[in-house]
Amino acid sequence: MKIHHTEIAQAVTILQQGGLVAFPTETVYGLGADARNESALSRIFSVKERPASHPLIVHLGSTESLLDWAFEVSDEAYQLAKAFWPGPLTMVFKKRKDVSGLLTAQQETIALRIPRHPLAKALLAAFGGAIAAPSANLFTRISPTTALSVEEELGGRIEMILDGGACEVGLESTIVDMTTKTPTILRPGMIGSFELSQVLGRMIAEIAIPNIRVPGSHHQHYAPKTLTLLVSSRALNDFLHKIKEEKGGKIAILSRHEAPLSCAEGDWILMPQDPKQYAQQLYQILRTVDKQGYASIMIEAVPPTLAWAAIHNRLTKAAQEIF
Ligand code: TXA
Ligand code: MG
């Protein structure tokens, strides 16, 4: 990828002056601010309309600066860093006393990550400091995986958007809490529990992912505005007729299988069979479909295997109802 150094220099100046720069990472686009500048950090929350109770991830250029933020870093954390950084892994550590409470939602831990997208690396290297960055979307909405999606979400509210093309991973990083006796996955991502356990030579834990089916009480996140339903492969066809009758309107169906010969209920969108490709394309497809005026989006559930775990997690959060 070609890096435009004048653009990077401009982004660095903006960060130094307390401005906000959206930039690509390999997972999703981030909304970046100087992690040592409290007024810039406050602006992240207002621009995203995000409550201060949700802590931020601090992006670093190298492991040498880990101890500027983390109070201590275990041998196991260094093992994971060596195996997966730069890359789509975030680790949670006990924070140093001088770390701003704005980054940590006033808690005692800090989330750190070294991204591997070439533009993110170039920006971090040129800036020299650490960049706090949540995903560059409005609170609870779908994370952007292209510069155009950032523009649609936050254009006009921020100083600059660096365009690094479509993100390679497409889902947010795996978050692992390193402060617990057994390292614990807080948010699944494309680096799975199997890979993490293999590096450490012991099982790691995973917080139970609630799978609440009661409409209304479901905590939506990563969500389209259109009514979104997650439906098992077995129930898909019956459901299509039912929803069409009950709710009317055109349905977008996101399925990993070929469309039936006649599908009068809506538009069939063929999703990738491979989990990596599926993850890479999911948010972009949801965004596109969300703008096309469908009455509902019906997503076929994905296989119950480890390779699909992070995708399943995001689908359950995007859907209002799960069947
Ligand atoms: O892939 C990613 O992680 C992207 C790119 C931009 O790096 N960032 C991202 O940030 O997804 P955000 O803010 O949208 O999501 C960060 C998640 C939040 O759910 C937050 O609650 C959690 O990380 N988090 C941040 N600090 C934490 C901490 N100290 N302890 C536990 N969870 C934390
Ligand atoms: Mg986010």
Side-chain angles (χ1 to χ4, degrees):
M1 137 150 265
K2 190 152 168 42
I3 293 176
H4 298 280
H5 293 281
T6 50
E7 253 180 33
I8 297 284
Q10 196 189 339
V12 166
T13 306
I14 292 168
L15 290 175
Q16 285 166 345
Q17 293 170 345
L20 302 184
V21 176
F23 65 98
T25 81
E26 68 280 13
T27 58
V28 300
Y29 275 72
L31 174 60
D34 177 354
R36 293 281 186 205
N37 182 330
E38 294 211 318
S39 70
L41 296 176
S42 303
R43 253 192 81 211
I44 287 184
F45 290 93
S46 60
V47 160
K48 266 185 71 91
E49 300 171 17
R50 168 166 165 147
S53 55
H54 287 245
L56 303 175
I57 295 174
V58 172
H59 297 68
L60 307 175
S62 83
T63 51
E64 273 150 49
S65 46
L66 272 178
L67 287 169
D68 294 345
W69 303 90
F71 176 74
E72 60 192 354
V73 177
S74 64
D75 289 345
E76 284 194 320
Y78 279 114
Q79 284 169 22
L80 293 180
K82 191 158 178 255
F84 299 110
W85 277 350
L89 175 71
T90 296
M91 285 193 267
V92 172
F93 301 98
K94 229 177 110 185
K95 82 171 184 77
R96 271 176 60 131
K97 276 212 172 62
D98 57 351
V99 170
S100 167
L102 282 176
L103 291 168
T104 66
Q106 309 301 331
Q107 298 174 77
E108 290 310 304
T109 57
I110 178 86
L112 303 174
R113 162 162 130 77
I114 301 181
R116 72 163 174 242
H117 190 291
L119 265 188
K121 284 165 75 173
L123 180 63
L124 283 159
F127 180 56
I131 301 177
S135 52
N137 53 280
L138 295 173
F139 185 56
T140 76
R141 295 292 173 202
I142 304 167
S143 299
T145 54
T146 65
L148 188 63
S149 301
V150 179
E151 176 69 38
E152 286 170 3
E153 285 280 320
L154 304 175
R157 298 183 177 208
I158 60 180
E159 279 70 41
M160 187 177 189
I161 301 171
L162 287 171
D163 188 348
C167 299
E168 165 206 343
V169 178
L171 294 188
E172 303 81 0
S173 61
T174 306
I175 303 182
V176 182
D177 187 351
M178 300 305 294
T179 69
T180 43
K181 242 189 187 147
T182 306
T184 305
I185 296 183
L186 301 179
R187 178 176 71 184
M190 294 308 278
I191 295 174
S193 53
F194 179 75
E195 288 102 311
L196 293 162
S197 300
Q198 261 200 330
V199 167
L200 298 183
R202 65 164 172 147
M203 293 298 278
I204 65 163
E206 192 148 4
I207 50 149
I209 298 160
N211 207 349
I212 300 162
R213 286 159 191 264
V214 186
S217 74
H218 188 62
H219 179 71
Q220 260 191 294
H221 220 98
Y222 318 106
K225 296 189 182 94
T226 312
L227 172 70
T228 302
L229 310 171
L230 181 61
V231 183
S232 69
S233 303
R234 203 157 21 100
L236 195 64
N237 275 325
D238 288 348
F239 230 80
L240 216 48
H241 298 299
K242 187 165 164 256
I243 294 293
K244 181 75 180 176
E245 266 168 30
E246 280 175 13
K247 310 216 154 124
K250 219 171 176 194
I251 308 173
I253 304 121
L254 276 56
S255 168
R256 290 167 292 109
H257 299 102
E258 294 289 342
L261 277 179
S262 69
C263 173
E265 286 82 3
D267 293 332
W268 199 272
I269 296 156
L270 188 60
M271 298 296 287
Q273 297 285 341
D274 170 59
K276 277 195 179 143
Q277 283 176 27
Y278 192 111
Q280 201 263 331
Q281 293 174 30
L282 176 65
Y283 287 167
Q284 198 53 34
I285 291 172
L286 283 178
R287 266 178 189 279
T288 306
V289 167
D290 202 21
K291 284 187 286 196
Q292 290 171 338
Y294 288 102
S296 54
I297 302 172
M298 192 177 291
I299 308 178
E300 181 188 7
V302 295
T305 58
L306 279 179
W308 290 88
I311 297 166
H312 174 72
N313 169 263
R314 299 312 189 277
L315 292 180
T316 59
K317 295 196 171 183
Q320 273 99 326
E321 295 179 45
I322 301 167
F323 300 95

